PDB file of all heavy atoms in Angstrom:
ATOM      1  N   LEU A  21      10.339  36.362  15.186  1.00 94.00           N
ATOM      2  CA  LEU A  21      11.766  36.050  15.380  1.00 94.00           C
ATOM      3  C   LEU A  21      11.973  35.481  16.782  1.00 94.00           C
ATOM      4  O   LEU A  21      12.666  34.551  17.015  1.00 94.00           O
ATOM      5  CB  LEU A  21      12.703  37.164  15.073  1.00 94.00           C
ATOM      6  CG  LEU A  21      12.989  37.570  13.629  1.00 94.00           C
ATOM      7  CD1 LEU A  21      13.933  38.613  13.510  1.00 94.00           C
ATOM      8  CD2 LEU A  21      13.243  36.314  12.822  1.00 94.00           C
ATOM      9  N   LEU A  22      11.397  36.241  17.678  1.00 91.00           N
ATOM     10  CA  LEU A  22      11.584  35.864  19.104  1.00 91.00           C
ATOM     11  C   LEU A  22      11.095  34.428  19.315  1.00 91.00           C
ATOM     12  O   LEU A  22      11.773  33.585  20.033  1.00 91.00           O
ATOM     13  CB  LEU A  22      10.848  36.808  20.034  1.00 91.00           C
ATOM     14  CG  LEU A  22      11.650  38.168  20.214  1.00 91.00           C
ATOM     15  CD1 LEU A  22      10.643  39.162  21.001  1.00 91.00           C
ATOM     16  CD2 LEU A  22      12.874  38.050  20.867  1.00 91.00           C
ATOM     17  N   SER A  23       9.951  34.142  18.722  1.00 84.00           N
ATOM     18  CA  SER A  23       9.513  32.706  18.957  1.00 84.00           C
ATOM     19  C   SER A  23      10.115  31.674  18.130  1.00 84.00           C
ATOM     20  O   SER A  23      10.188  30.525  18.379  1.00 84.00           O
ATOM     21  CB  SER A  23       7.939  32.724  18.621  1.00 84.00           C
ATOM     22  OG  SER A  23       7.628  32.007  17.485  1.00 84.00           O
ATOM     23  N   LEU A  24      11.052  32.188  17.050  1.00 87.00           N
ATOM     24  CA  LEU A  24      11.774  31.210  16.253  1.00 87.00           C
ATOM     25  C   LEU A  24      13.227  31.118  16.695  1.00 87.00           C
ATOM     26  O   LEU A  24      13.952  30.453  16.093  1.00 87.00           O
ATOM     27  CB  LEU A  24      11.697  31.623  14.848  1.00 87.00           C
ATOM     28  CG  LEU A  24      10.442  31.432  14.055  1.00 87.00           C
ATOM     29  CD1 LEU A  24      10.481  32.048  12.662  1.00 87.00           C
ATOM     30  CD2 LEU A  24      10.147  29.866  13.871  1.00 87.00           C
ATOM     31  N   GLU A  25      13.421  31.796  17.779  1.00 83.00           N
ATOM     32  CA  GLU A  25      14.938  31.834  18.170  1.00 83.00           C
ATOM     33  C   GLU A  25      15.502  30.337  18.603  1.00 83.00           C
ATOM     34  O   GLU A  25      16.606  30.072  18.452  1.00 83.00           O
ATOM     35  CB  GLU A  25      15.099  32.785  19.473  1.00 83.00           C
ATOM     36  CG  GLU A  25      15.752  34.027  19.111  1.00 83.00           C
ATOM     37  CD  GLU A  25      16.241  34.787  20.228  1.00 83.00           C
ATOM     38  OE1 GLU A  25      15.700  34.631  21.440  1.00 83.00           O
ATOM     39  OE2 GLU A  25      17.209  35.577  20.198  1.00 83.00           O
ATOM     40  N   TYR A  26      14.416  29.496  18.820  1.00 74.00           N
ATOM     41  CA  TYR A  26      14.896  28.207  19.095  1.00 74.00           C
ATOM     42  C   TYR A  26      15.549  27.450  17.916  1.00 74.00           C
ATOM     43  O   TYR A  26      16.255  26.407  18.016  1.00 74.00           O
ATOM     44  CB  TYR A  26      13.682  27.371  19.724  1.00 74.00           C
ATOM     45  CG  TYR A  26      12.676  26.844  18.668  1.00 74.00           C
ATOM     46  CD1 TYR A  26      12.950  25.905  17.757  1.00 74.00           C
ATOM     47  CD2 TYR A  26      11.607  27.749  18.479  1.00 74.00           C
ATOM     48  CE1 TYR A  26      12.094  25.608  16.768  1.00 74.00           C
ATOM     49  CE2 TYR A  26      10.617  27.470  17.462  1.00 74.00           C
ATOM     50  CZ  TYR A  26      10.803  26.339  16.637  1.00 74.00           C
ATOM     51  OH  TYR A  26      10.042  26.147  15.574  1.00 74.00           O
ATOM     52  N   ARG A  27      15.379  28.046  16.820  1.00 78.00           N
ATOM     53  CA  ARG A  27      15.920  27.479  15.630  1.00 78.00           C
ATOM     54  C   ARG A  27      17.365  27.992  15.312  1.00 78.00           C
ATOM     55  O   ARG A  27      17.991  27.511  14.377  1.00 78.00           O
ATOM     56  CB  ARG A  27      15.013  27.774  14.314  1.00 78.00           C
ATOM     57  CG  ARG A  27      13.659  27.317  14.442  1.00 78.00           C
ATOM     58  CD  ARG A  27      12.838  27.624  13.255  1.00 78.00           C
ATOM     59  NE  ARG A  27      13.395  27.096  12.075  1.00 78.00           N
ATOM     60  CZ  ARG A  27      12.845  25.949  11.540  1.00 78.00           C
ATOM     61  NH1 ARG A  27      12.078  25.269  12.160  1.00 78.00           N
ATOM     62  NH2 ARG A  27      13.400  25.380  10.362  1.00 78.00           N
ATOM     63  N   GLY A  28      17.736  28.953  16.049  1.00 75.00           N
ATOM     64  CA  GLY A  28      19.112  29.456  15.906  1.00 75.00           C
ATOM     65  C   GLY A  28      19.125  30.924  16.496  1.00 75.00           C
ATOM     66  O   GLY A  28      18.156  31.606  16.355  1.00 75.00           O
ATOM     67  N   TYR A  29      20.237  31.282  17.110  1.00 79.00           N
ATOM     68  CA  TYR A  29      20.320  32.650  17.724  1.00 79.00           C
ATOM     69  C   TYR A  29      21.754  33.173  17.574  1.00 79.00           C
ATOM     70  O   TYR A  29      22.191  33.780  18.549  1.00 79.00           O
ATOM     71  CB  TYR A  29      19.852  32.553  19.055  1.00 79.00           C
ATOM     72  CG  TYR A  29      19.920  31.343  19.724  1.00 79.00           C
ATOM     73  CD1 TYR A  29      21.004  30.859  20.430  1.00 79.00           C
ATOM     74  CD2 TYR A  29      18.969  30.383  19.704  1.00 79.00           C
ATOM     75  CE1 TYR A  29      21.257  29.787  21.173  1.00 79.00           C
ATOM     76  CE2 TYR A  29      19.012  29.078  20.418  1.00 79.00           C
ATOM     77  CZ  TYR A  29      20.221  28.857  21.069  1.00 79.00           C
ATOM     78  OH  TYR A  29      20.274  27.611  21.699  1.00 79.00           O
ATOM     79  N   ASP A  30      22.407  32.916  16.405  1.00 84.00           N
ATOM     80  CA  ASP A  30      23.771  33.515  16.295  1.00 84.00           C
ATOM     81  C   ASP A  30      23.656  34.870  15.790  1.00 84.00           C
ATOM     82  O   ASP A  30      24.575  35.765  16.028  1.00 84.00           O
ATOM     83  CB  ASP A  30      24.483  32.661  15.189  1.00 84.00           C
ATOM     84  CG  ASP A  30      24.778  31.264  15.619  1.00 84.00           C
ATOM     85  OD1 ASP A  30      24.873  31.036  16.839  1.00 84.00           O
ATOM     86  OD2 ASP A  30      24.739  30.388  14.802  1.00 84.00           O
ATOM     87  N   SER A  31      22.697  35.270  14.943  1.00 91.00           N
ATOM     88  CA  SER A  31      22.550  36.578  14.509  1.00 91.00           C
ATOM     89  C   SER A  31      21.069  36.743  13.967  1.00 91.00           C
ATOM     90  O   SER A  31      20.394  35.787  13.786  1.00 91.00           O
ATOM     91  CB  SER A  31      23.534  36.932  13.408  1.00 91.00           C
ATOM     92  OG  SER A  31      23.246  36.054  12.290  1.00 91.00           O
ATOM     93  N   ALA A  32      20.635  37.942  13.934  1.00 94.00           N
ATOM     94  CA  ALA A  32      19.224  38.206  13.462  1.00 94.00           C
ATOM     95  C   ALA A  32      19.161  39.429  12.640  1.00 94.00           C
ATOM     96  O   ALA A  32      20.126  40.364  12.709  1.00 94.00           O
ATOM     97  CB  ALA A  32      18.311  38.296  14.625  1.00 94.00           C
ATOM     98  N   GLY A  33      18.149  39.585  11.741  1.00 96.00           N
ATOM     99  CA  GLY A  33      17.971  40.791  10.989  1.00 96.00           C
ATOM    100  C   GLY A  33      16.490  40.847  10.347  1.00 96.00           C
ATOM    101  O   GLY A  33      15.790  39.850  10.270  1.00 96.00           O
ATOM    102  N   ILE A  34      16.326  42.166  10.007  1.00 96.00           N
ATOM    103  CA  ILE A  34      15.048  42.276   9.240  1.00 96.00           C
ATOM    104  C   ILE A  34      15.295  43.074   7.963  1.00 96.00           C
ATOM    105  O   ILE A  34      16.302  43.913   7.952  1.00 96.00           O
ATOM    106  CB  ILE A  34      13.943  42.885  10.026  1.00 96.00           C
ATOM    107  CG1 ILE A  34      14.329  44.369  10.472  1.00 96.00           C
ATOM    108  CG2 ILE A  34      13.561  42.201  11.194  1.00 96.00           C
ATOM    109  CD1 ILE A  34      13.129  45.133  11.023  1.00 96.00           C
ATOM    110  N   ALA A  35      14.477  42.937   6.899  1.00 96.00           N
ATOM    111  CA  ALA A  35      14.628  43.927   5.842  1.00 96.00           C
ATOM    112  C   ALA A  35      13.057  44.335   5.501  1.00 96.00           C
ATOM    113  O   ALA A  35      12.149  43.522   5.506  1.00 96.00           O
ATOM    114  CB  ALA A  35      15.044  43.281   4.540  1.00 96.00           C
ATOM    115  N   VAL A  36      12.902  45.658   5.346  1.00 96.00           N
ATOM    116  CA  VAL A  36      11.584  46.108   5.067  1.00 96.00           C
ATOM    117  C   VAL A  36      11.559  47.000   3.873  1.00 96.00           C
ATOM    118  O   VAL A  36      12.645  47.620   3.590  1.00 96.00           O
ATOM    119  CB  VAL A  36      10.870  46.890   6.151  1.00 96.00           C
ATOM    120  CG1 VAL A  36      10.737  46.049   7.396  1.00 96.00           C
ATOM    121  CG2 VAL A  36      11.627  48.125   6.550  1.00 96.00           C
ATOM    122  N   LEU A  37      10.512  47.182   3.267  1.00 93.00           N
ATOM    123  CA  LEU A  37      10.384  48.235   2.097  1.00 93.00           C
ATOM    124  C   LEU A  37       9.936  49.459   2.776  1.00 93.00           C
ATOM    125  O   LEU A  37       8.942  49.369   3.573  1.00 93.00           O
ATOM    126  CB  LEU A  37       9.420  47.748   0.996  1.00 93.00           C
ATOM    127  CG  LEU A  37       9.903  46.510   0.257  1.00 93.00           C
ATOM    128  CD1 LEU A  37       8.878  46.150  -0.856  1.00 93.00           C
ATOM    129  CD2 LEU A  37      11.247  46.687  -0.435  1.00 93.00           C
ATOM    130  N   ASN A  38      10.568  50.558   2.619  1.00 83.00           N
ATOM    131  CA  ASN A  38      10.149  51.809   3.237  1.00 83.00           C
ATOM    132  C   ASN A  38       9.066  52.290   2.535  1.00 83.00           C
ATOM    133  O   ASN A  38       8.740  52.017   1.390  1.00 83.00           O
ATOM    134  CB  ASN A  38      11.313  52.832   3.461  1.00 83.00           C
ATOM    135  CG  ASN A  38      11.702  53.529   2.098  1.00 83.00           C
ATOM    136  OD1 ASN A  38      10.920  53.588   1.370  1.00 83.00           O
ATOM    137  ND2 ASN A  38      12.917  54.031   2.295  1.00 83.00           N
ATOM    138  N   ASN A  39       8.216  53.326   3.163  1.00 65.00           N
ATOM    139  CA  ASN A  39       7.019  53.558   2.670  1.00 65.00           C
ATOM    140  C   ASN A  39       7.049  54.858   1.727  1.00 65.00           C
ATOM    141  O   ASN A  39       5.904  55.285   1.425  1.00 65.00           O
ATOM    142  CB  ASN A  39       5.955  53.893   3.884  1.00 65.00           C
ATOM    143  CG  ASN A  39       5.205  52.711   4.130  1.00 65.00           C
ATOM    144  OD1 ASN A  39       5.364  51.774   3.392  1.00 65.00           O
ATOM    145  ND2 ASN A  39       4.400  52.799   5.250  1.00 65.00           N
ATOM    146  N   ASN A  40       8.142  55.348   1.400  1.00 58.00           N
ATOM    147  CA  ASN A  40       8.279  56.500   0.531  1.00 58.00           C
ATOM    148  C   ASN A  40       8.014  56.033  -0.973  1.00 58.00           C
ATOM    149  O   ASN A  40       8.933  55.799  -1.729  1.00 58.00           O
ATOM    150  CB  ASN A  40       9.429  57.222   0.522  1.00 58.00           C
ATOM    151  CG  ASN A  40       9.861  57.656   1.977  1.00 58.00           C
ATOM    152  OD1 ASN A  40       8.907  58.064   2.570  1.00 58.00           O
ATOM    153  ND2 ASN A  40      11.007  57.479   2.360  1.00 58.00           N
ATOM    154  N   LYS A  41       6.670  55.778  -1.209  1.00 50.00           N
ATOM    155  CA  LYS A  41       6.458  55.393  -2.684  1.00 50.00           C
ATOM    156  C   LYS A  41       6.911  56.249  -3.746  1.00 50.00           C
ATOM    157  O   LYS A  41       6.613  57.474  -3.515  1.00 50.00           O
ATOM    158  CB  LYS A  41       4.950  54.910  -2.804  1.00 50.00           C
ATOM    159  CG  LYS A  41       4.661  53.729  -2.052  1.00 50.00           C
ATOM    160  CD  LYS A  41       3.251  53.294  -2.356  1.00 50.00           C
ATOM    161  CE  LYS A  41       3.077  51.906  -1.456  1.00 50.00           C
ATOM    162  NZ  LYS A  41       1.650  51.410  -1.743  1.00 50.00           N
ATOM    163  N   GLY A  42       7.524  55.815  -4.773  1.00 51.00           N
ATOM    164  CA  GLY A  42       7.933  56.818  -5.876  1.00 51.00           C
ATOM    165  C   GLY A  42       6.890  56.980  -6.888  1.00 51.00           C
ATOM    166  O   GLY A  42       5.719  56.612  -6.587  1.00 51.00           O
ATOM    167  N   ASN A  43       7.392  57.565  -7.943  1.00 52.00           N
ATOM    168  CA  ASN A  43       6.311  57.991  -9.007  1.00 52.00           C
ATOM    169  C   ASN A  43       5.462  56.766  -9.535  1.00 52.00           C
ATOM    170  O   ASN A  43       4.317  57.029  -9.878  1.00 52.00           O
ATOM    171  CB  ASN A  43       7.048  58.563 -10.316  1.00 52.00           C
ATOM    172  CG  ASN A  43       7.754  59.831  -9.887  1.00 52.00           C
ATOM    173  OD1 ASN A  43       7.320  60.438  -8.806  1.00 52.00           O
ATOM    174  ND2 ASN A  43       8.791  60.343 -10.450  1.00 52.00           N
ATOM    175  N   ASN A  44       6.030  55.586  -9.649  1.00 57.00           N
ATOM    176  CA  ASN A  44       5.250  54.528 -10.166  1.00 57.00           C
ATOM    177  C   ASN A  44       4.516  53.769  -9.023  1.00 57.00           C
ATOM    178  O   ASN A  44       4.235  52.643  -9.242  1.00 57.00           O
ATOM    179  CB  ASN A  44       6.261  53.569 -10.807  1.00 57.00           C
ATOM    180  CG  ASN A  44       6.923  54.172 -12.067  1.00 57.00           C
ATOM    181  OD1 ASN A  44       6.432  55.095 -12.559  1.00 57.00           O
ATOM    182  ND2 ASN A  44       8.267  53.623 -12.234  1.00 57.00           N
TER     183      ASN A  44
END
Side-chain angles (χ1 to χ4, degrees):
L21 284 187
L22 286 170
S23 112
L24 286 173
E25 260 196 328
Y26 71 82
R27 299 178 67 89
Y29 26 88
D30 295 327
S31 60
I34 64 169
V36 298
L37 295 182
N38 76 20
N39 264 357
N40 301 323
K41 291 191 177 181
N43 293 339
N44 301 330

